[in-house]
């Protein structure tokens, strides 16, 4: 009976400690907002998720709202390219305000960092207070209650072991069952302690793995952005070189004779209508090839006559850019 009272007292003491722990915790609230990422591919959505959790967004939020420390912004990707952005703060309104600013900065950074056409981040669900994350009385009371119960069982077992044996003879079977029960309780305590250690080690491993994955994802994103910037610069240089070729071809064009009609001066040249029709027929070409043909059609329009006929001096350039070309009917 005395051992049972000791176990019950330890349990009550553990619950009291949990209540004090809950009372000492500060209020924390979480706000959520949803952002629609397009295109919702396996490459774009994780990159936007990593950008949302990066220190770049957190520092911009802290600077805009004049916060003493950057907030912790977390992002979780869902189905259909929907990204949930979450922030915790000391009040519902403050959490909602920080989360809303994080979404605004995220959409701006996506537009700046992702230069590929069609990549957008659009607010789908505005920031709103989701739930209170602290204090957590249920979890606190459960943890401290279990600790108190284990301590009470250990104390009761210790009291039972220290209790002097009665002088009268006891039943050997009863004594054997008692010691088996004590051994079972001690074994259970050791298993609980071992389990607690394993859980702590696993939690630490998960935290380290998450940090490594975030760092790796950020490095991959930075490398992809650098590679994209290099491709854009190379493409810009190629366009400038093509413009210079067009300008040189235009400068080499002979002056038309005033007395000759326009169609006779450009006899044998390609027309813009024929080239546009050829581009439409080749719709199966890649987007980069289609964009290059469109740019050349735009620049060649300045050198065509009123009927859209290009000078014959552009035949070689047209063949290089739009080739292979079909046979042309000169009649």
């Amino acid at each position: 009976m005395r051992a049972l009272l000791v176990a019950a007292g330890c349990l009550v003491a553990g619950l009291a400690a949990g209540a004090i722990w809950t009372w000492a915790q500060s209020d924390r609230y979480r706000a959520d907002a949803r952002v629609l990422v397009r295109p919702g591919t396996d490459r774009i959505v994780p990159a936007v998720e990593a950008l949302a959790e990066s220190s770049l967004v957190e520092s911009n939020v802290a600077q805009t709202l004049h916060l003493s420390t950057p907030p912790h912004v977390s992002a979780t990707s869902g189905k259909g390219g929907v990204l949930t952005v979450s922030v915790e703060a000391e009040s519902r309104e403050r959490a909602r305000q920080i989360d809303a600013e994080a979404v605004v900065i995220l959409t701006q950074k996506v537009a700046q960092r992702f230069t590929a056409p069609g990549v957008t981040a659009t607010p789908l669900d505005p920031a709103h207070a989701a739930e209170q994350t602290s204090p957590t009385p249920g979890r606190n009371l459960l943890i401290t209650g279990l600790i108190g119960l284990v301590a009470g069982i250990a104390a009761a077992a210790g009291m039972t072991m220290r209790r002097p044996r009665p002088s009268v003879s006891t039943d050997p079977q009863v004594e054997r069952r008692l010691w088996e029960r004590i051994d079972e309780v001690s074994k259970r305590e050791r298993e609980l302690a071992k389990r607690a250690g394993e859980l702590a080690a696993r939690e630490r491993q998960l935290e380290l793995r998450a940090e490594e994955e975030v760092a790796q994802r950020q490095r991959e994103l930075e490398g992809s952005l650098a590679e994209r910037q290099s491709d854009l610069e190379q493409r810009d240089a190629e366009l400038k070189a093509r413009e210079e070729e067009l300008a040189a071809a235009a400068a080499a064009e002979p002056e038309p004779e005033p007395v000759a009609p326009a169609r006779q001066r450009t006899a044998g040249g390609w027309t813009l209508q024929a080239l546009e029709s050829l581009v439409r027929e080749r719709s199966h070409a890649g987007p980069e090839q289609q964009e290059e043909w469109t740019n050349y059609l735009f620049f060649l329009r300045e050198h065509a006559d009123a009927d859209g006929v290009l000078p014959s001096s552009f035949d070689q350039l047209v063949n290089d850019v739009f080739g292979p070309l079909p046979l042309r009917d000169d009649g």
Side-chain angles (χ1 to χ4, degrees):
M1 185 64 181
R2 184 179 178 184
L4 182 60
L5 292 176
V6 171
C10 291
L11 176 60
V12 172
L15 295 176
I20 297 174
W21 183 12
T22 303
W23 176 79
Q25 284 183 314
S26 60
D27 293 339
R28 300 286 294 179
Y29 298 89
R30 192 187 82 242
D32 294 337
R34 292 178 175 83
V35 177
L36 180 63
V37 180
R38 283 291 179 267
T41 61
D42 294 338
R43 181 179 179 183
I44 298 299
V45 174
V48 176
E49 181 181 354
L51 179 61
E53 296 178 343
S54 64
S55 59
L56 176 63
V57 174
E58 295 176 352
S59 60
N60 275 268
V61 172
Q63 183 178 3
T64 303
L65 299 180
H66 304 288
L67 302 177
S68 58
T69 57
H72 176 67
V73 180
S74 60
T76 305
S77 58
K79 296 182 179 179
V82 177
L83 194 67
T84 303
V85 181
S86 304
V87 172
E88 291 189 6
E90 64 276 5
S91 65
R92 298 179 185 271
E93 179 60 25
R94 193 57 170 169
R96 187 201 64 78
Q97 182 183 12
I98 296 175
D99 197 29
E101 185 63 26
V103 170
V104 172
I105 293 176
L106 175 62
T107 56
Q108 294 175 354
K109 296 303 178 183
V110 168
Q112 295 174 0
R113 295 297 182 104
F114 295 86
T115 56
V119 178
T120 60
T122 306
L124 185 62
D125 187 13
H128 59 278
E131 63 176 355
Q132 183 176 1
T133 59
S134 177
T136 54
R139 186 192 66 180
N140 298 344
L141 293 175
L142 178 61
I143 294 175
T144 55
L146 287 176
I147 294 175
L149 181 61
V150 171
I153 293 175
M159 292 177 59
T160 304
M161 294 176 64
R162 291 194 302 268
R163 182 179 301 174
R165 296 182 179 181
S167 57
V168 296
S169 60
T170 58
D171 188 354
Q173 295 182 355
V174 173
E175 186 176 0
R176 185 178 65 256
R177 287 196 299 268
L178 178 61
W179 283 106
E180 289 177 353
R181 183 66 179 274
I182 295 173
D183 293 339
E184 182 180 352
V185 171
S186 300
K187 182 178 180 181
R188 186 175 300 175
E189 291 177 1
R190 291 192 296 270
E191 290 178 352
L192 289 175
K194 181 180 178 181
R195 182 63 176 171
E198 292 176 352
L199 289 176
R202 184 177 181 183
E203 183 177 358
R204 180 56 182 168
Q205 291 178 356
L206 291 176
E207 291 177 356
L208 293 176
R209 185 180 302 173
E211 293 176 357
E212 292 177 356
E213 291 179 355
V214 170
Q216 179 66 20
R217 188 178 300 173
Q218 186 172 2
R219 289 193 295 269
E220 293 177 355
L221 179 60
E222 292 176 354
S224 176
L225 292 176
E227 182 180 355
R228 183 61 178 172
Q229 182 67 24
S230 176
D231 292 342
L232 290 176
E233 292 176 356
Q234 183 179 359
R235 185 67 180 277
D236 185 56
E238 292 177 356
L239 289 177
K240 290 182 179 178
R242 291 294 187 181
E243 291 178 3
E244 293 176 357
E245 292 178 4
L246 288 174
E253 178 184 354
E255 291 292 334
E257 297 180 4
V259 295
R263 187 171 297 279
Q264 293 178 358
R265 291 197 305 267
T266 59
W270 285 93
T271 64
L272 291 176
Q273 293 83 353
L275 294 178
E276 290 175 351
S277 176
L278 183 62
V279 171
R280 286 193 299 271
E281 291 176 359
R282 297 177 178 178
S283 60
H284 60 276
E288 295 183 357
Q289 184 66 62
Q290 290 283 346
E291 182 180 357
E292 181 180 4
W293 288 340
T294 303
N295 292 334
Y296 272 97
L297 287 174
F298 175 78
F299 290 119
L300 290 173
R301 197 177 302 277
E302 299 178 358
H303 304 283
D305 60 10
D307 294 332
V309 181
L310 294 171
S312 58
S313 60
F314 283 84
D315 286 354
Q316 183 61 39
L317 178 62
V318 169
N319 186 63
D320 293 340
V321 176
F322 297 92
L325 296 173
L327 295 177
R328 185 180 57 210
D329 186 7
D330 295 335

